[in-house]
Amino acid sequence: MKTTNRPDEWKIEQGLAGAELPVLDMTGPKNVPLTIQTFGQLTKNEEAIKAVGDPEKLFTREREGWVGFVEWENYPDKKAAAHKILTSQTFPPNPEFQLGPIPGTNPVLPGTHWKMWHHAVGGELTKIPEDSWATVLKEKHPDMLHLLQFPYNGEPPKRLVTAKEITPNSLHFVRNHGGIPLIDYDKFSFIMDGLVKNPREYKMDDLMDESRFPRMEKTVTIQCSGTRRIEQILLYPGQGDEVPQAPWAEGAIGTATYVGISLKKIIKECGGLIDGAKHLEFYGADTYFKDDKVMNYLVSVPWSKVKANEVMLAWEMNGEVLPAIHGYPLRIVVFGYIGARSVKWLYRIKAIKEPSRAPVQSQEYLYFPQQVGKHNFKLTDGIQIQEMPVSSAIMSPWTKQVCIHNGKIRCKGWAYSGGGRWPERVELSADGGFNWYTIPIDNLSKKRKWTWRTWEYELPCDVEGWVEIVCRCWDSALNTQPTFTRTAWNWGLHVTHSCHRISIYSVNKSRKATQDRLAEFEEAGIPFGPITVPLAFPSQTWDDYEKFWKEHDPRDAEDD
Ligand code: MTE
């Protein structure tokens, strides 16, 4: 039979292969399907690349004892050389993960582009993808879910996210935009410069000198603004760059006790800010690629935040030396702000007048309105995300799970609010959000200004079949969460803070009929799940059936 259908016609028609769908132009009298962008293979203009020079000399290690650190910000010529190399070739596409199925692998996404870009630029960057993965394997728990192999982005599986109120280091999520620099403690120093009276350089021993700087210890939750992004992706895909849009679930949040000093004390020792400085820009030693350009990881926070002693220079995490993957030997920890501002592998702090214009600050972590997207967005349409709004998530059970219970479904999860607001009340609903049960305070972990609260609750549920369990939190300012994912969907897929919804199949064993049916399964030695497998034995005896109709005949209503 000759057909004009593609073999995957049905999938395409049903929206299961959205990336393949032609764009429809409906502006004329008839619909016109438009061709969609396709990507070719790797191409290289070898001559143009060669003309740039020897990468081993151009892109060298900036400092002895700082493996993987190439400083870009002080060297415009070096940036231009790398840009030339990158624009002298084309790179094959990343795997589609939003409109197509997400791969069932761990690592989920390989980070094809980022690996190729590092290798293409060469020099000190050549070995970074492999070295970074070796650090992941050394420092992280073997059960981590690796969303992106390089730059490494990983989170703990649901069962471990809230297993402890303080997240063990090996299970703390990791969000990287580049490779992991490996820095010698003895060779480490950072500079505090820009608009400060007396710019200075600091070594670790200076920072640890308690006669100069009082020690600070703080338990802080760091949350990435991409946490729970997968809910937005599954509803409506948005911007699909692998690194900025890593498909996070509920684990891109972690809580740890950090030791260090307040950044305010350093600024004070440098004689304070001058010439109207209002922001502090932090420089990370890793290399970030954006739009065929290379740069270090740069963001800024306002002075008001530093002045309030809410920005810390940290070298210890949960009683251990800060792991390399979390910024060894020194990182910034900004309390109550999105994780993006807590810069790792710090090498410079610069006092400036305006918020940083660096891409991570000005082009990413933007919260767009709903009608803004690829077709019309401007960077200035987005709100720069700073404090995370109140959010919560159910870690157990999981969507599509069958739960056999005695009238109460055992639930676990977390609740968090940014900006120094904390969870006051956490509520669960077993009916899609019509009726709510308050989780007793004693079932919530300790209340702290800058941390999440983990919780556990036996949620009353009499009904059976598919039920929607919903979680929401009220924070200390009585803010709560939007009702549906759609309510807060945005092109950048950030800040998924709507009520967390899971659908489970409720089997209530406190009901007699269910108890009997489950006993039948046990006697027959047949597993109950999956729920979709048809019943392997009669649902009732024919005697029963006949008896019922004897008592309830006729089936059709009498017309009298
Ligand atoms: N600092 C540097 N130098 N490079 C980065 O890629 N990622 C930021 C921040 N600091 C990043 C960084 C982001 S987006 C987050 S959410 C946090 O680090 C995550 O911190 P963690 O990896 O220690 O959990």
Side-chain angles (χ1 to χ4, degrees):
M1 193 168 44
K2 223 173 155 97
T3 174
T4 53
N5 289 341
R6 303 166 44 139
D8 56 354
E9 181 73 24
W10 184 85
K11 264 179 95 173
I12 294 179
E13 289 180 5
Q14 293 307 319
L16 300 174
E20 308 278 322
L21 263 179
V23 172
L24 272 193
D25 182 354
M26 300 183 172
T27 56
K30 278 194 177 152
N31 290 351
V32 180
L34 304 179
T35 36
I36 50 172
Q37 200 176 346
T38 49
F39 299 84
Q41 294 300 308
L42 177 71
T43 65
K44 272 189 183 186
N45 181 342
E46 301 281 4
E47 250 168 57
I49 295 171
K50 225 169 148 197
V52 174
D54 179 3
E56 296 305 326
K57 293 193 184 125
L58 283 169
F59 314 120
T60 49
R61 186 175 302 173
E62 178 68 15
R63 295 200 218 172
E64 193 200 335
W66 290 56
V67 177
F69 174 34
V70 179
E71 147 77 304
W72 300 101
E73 303 308 316
N74 267 339
Y75 306 102
D77 290 353
K78 204 154 80 175
K79 279 193 172 188
H83 183 58
K84 181 76 198 153
I85 291 175
L86 292 168
T87 50
S88 299
Q89 47 199 312
T90 57
F91 298 90
N94 278 322
E96 169 62 38
F97 67 98
Q98 294 206 7
L99 285 162
I102 293 200
T105 49
N106 190 27
V108 180
L109 304 171
T112 314
H113 271 164
W114 258 265
K115 287 177 188 167
M116 287 182 125
W117 290 335
H118 276 70
H119 292 149
V121 169
E124 182 69 10
L125 299 189
T126 313
K127 275 184 70 234
I128 292 263
E130 291 70 27
D131 283 359
S132 293
W133 182 240
T135 304
V136 173
L137 297 179
K138 193 167 140 209
E139 294 191 341
K140 297 318 277 187
H141 195 285
D143 291 349
M144 285 289 278
L145 305 178
H146 314 300
L147 297 186
L148 186 60
Q149 189 180 32
F150 182 79
Y152 184 68
N153 282 254
E155 63 184 320
K158 281 188 213 265
R159 68 176 190 282
L160 297 176
V161 174
T162 51
K164 300 214 164 86
E165 174 193 353
I166 306 292
T167 318
N169 291 351
S170 66
L171 283 168
H172 197 283
F173 83 98
V174 177
R175 167 97 175 105
N176 288 344
H177 289 69
I180 302 166
L182 299 170
I183 304 168
D184 274 6
Y185 180 93
D186 294 335
K187 297 285 186 307
F188 175 81
S189 68
F190 77 90
I191 48 166
M192 171 75 239
D193 68 350
L195 304 175
V196 282
K197 197 157 178 227
N198 308 307
R200 292 182 78 138
E201 186 171 357
Y202 288 94
K203 293 181 79 67
M204 287 307 292
D205 288 349
D206 299 323
L207 307 178
M208 290 183 178
D209 180 351
E210 285 191 79
S211 65
R212 279 167 76 181
F213 305 112
R215 242 350 110 84
M216 189 179 195
E217 179 175 313
K218 199 63 89 175
T219 304
V220 180
T221 293
I222 293 185
Q223 186 189 19
C224 181
S225 65
T227 318
R228 294 178 51 200
R229 170 173 292 135
I230 192 65
E231 292 162 58
Q232 292 200 53
I233 293 178
L234 293 176
L235 185 64
Y236 303 118
Q239 209 277 91
D241 207 348
E242 268 185 337
V243 172
Q245 308 309 135
W248 295 108
E250 308 85 8
I253 182 167
T255 302
T257 302
Y258 296 93
V259 171
I261 59 169
S262 172
L263 172 57
K264 187 182 178 183
K265 307 285 176 200
I266 295 277
I267 290 170
K268 204 171 156 206
E269 209 191 60
C270 290
L273 301 183
I274 53 166
D275 294 342
K278 284 219 172 78
H279 298 265
L280 283 310
E281 191 174 50
F282 307 135
Y283 289 56
D286 44 340
T287 295
Y288 182 47
F289 287 76
K290 190 165 181 80
D291 302 333
D292 293 323
K293 297 192 182 80
V294 284
M295 59 207 83
N296 297 107
Y297 185 92
L298 263 64
V299 290
S300 68
V301 298
W303 162 239
S304 56
K305 188 79 181 159
V306 178
K307 199 171 152 195
N309 285 312
E310 291 169 6
V311 181
M312 184 177 181
L313 298 174
W315 57 77
E316 194 183 296
M317 182 176 181
N318 290 333
E320 291 168 22
V321 173
L322 194 66
I325 208 163
H326 291 291
Y328 179 85
L330 192 69
R331 80 173 296 169
I332 298 278
V333 178
V334 183
F335 312 158
Y337 272 15
I338 56 167
R341 310 292 178 242
S342 292
V343 172
K344 305 189 272 191
W345 314 292
L346 185 76
Y347 75 89
R348 182 182 183 189
I349 300 176
K350 188 177 173 190
I352 53 177
K353 286 187 182 174
E354 308 284 346
S356 175
R357 295 291 187 253
V360 178
Q361 185 90 16
S362 59
Q363 298 178 31
E364 286 166 24
Y365 299 99
L366 299 176
Y367 191 81
F368 289 112
Q370 259 189 13
Q371 293 202 37
V372 162
K374 187 174 184 176
H375 58 290
N376 65 354
F377 88 92
K378 297 195 300 291
L379 295 176
T380 46
D381 292 332
I383 303 168
Q384 279 189 8
I385 307 164
Q386 214 64 313
E387 296 175 355
M388 283 296 274
V390 60
S391 183
S392 60
I394 303 160
M395 291 299 93
S396 175
W398 305 340
T399 270
K400 304 261 161 86
Q401 196 146 38
V402 178
C403 298
I404 301 175
H405 57 93
N406 286 322
K408 286 184 175 177
I409 297 173
R410 206 168 291 137
C411 299
K412 276 178 111 174
W414 56 258
Y416 172 70
S417 189
R421 295 170 293 275
W422 57 87
E424 270 297 339
R425 181 182 300 159
V426 185
E427 295 176 319
L428 281 177
S429 164
D431 61 3
F434 288 104
N435 296 290
W436 296 91
Y437 291 88
T438 300
I439 301 179
I441 317 181
D442 291 342
N443 291 22
L444 266 54
S445 66
K446 190 176 163 181
K447 189 195 287 188
R448 295 187 198 86
K449 185 162 180 173
W450 304 108
T451 71
W452 70 1
R453 297 179 83 176
T454 55
W455 52 262
E456 285 186 29
Y457 186 54
E458 306 246 326
L459 175 66
C461 178
D462 179 56
V463 292
E464 298 191 287
W466 288 109
V467 299
E468 194 180 27
I469 301 181
V470 194
C471 175
R472 75 177 176 197
C473 171
W474 297 83
D475 74 9
S476 51
L478 296 191
N479 298 306
T480 195
Q481 305 173 232
T483 315
F484 299 107
T485 313
R486 166 85 209 202
T487 324
W489 186 92
N490 62 102
W491 175 245
L493 306 168
H494 281 292
V495 191
T496 316
H497 67 305
S498 46
C499 295
H500 192 219
R501 293 168 183 272
I502 58 162
S503 295
I504 63 116
Y505 195 90
S506 158
V507 178
N508 188 348
K509 209 176 165 184
S510 70
R511 289 184 173 193
K512 178 81 174 64
T514 303
Q515 203 175 63
D516 293 347
R517 173 63 45 84
L518 290 174
E520 283 182 277
F521 270 91
E522 214 173 305
E523 268 163 41
I526 303 172
F528 181 63
I531 197 74
T532 46
V533 173
L535 196 62
F537 43 81
S539 62
Q540 64 189 133
T541 62
W542 281 111
D543 286 353
D544 256 10
Y545 187 88
E546 294 300 343
K547 187 166 166 258
F548 177 89
W549 287 117
K550 285 229 165 70
E551 286 164 14
H552 296 90
D553 253 355
R555 182 223 172 263
D556 299 314
E558 298 284 347
D559 186 12
D560 55 24

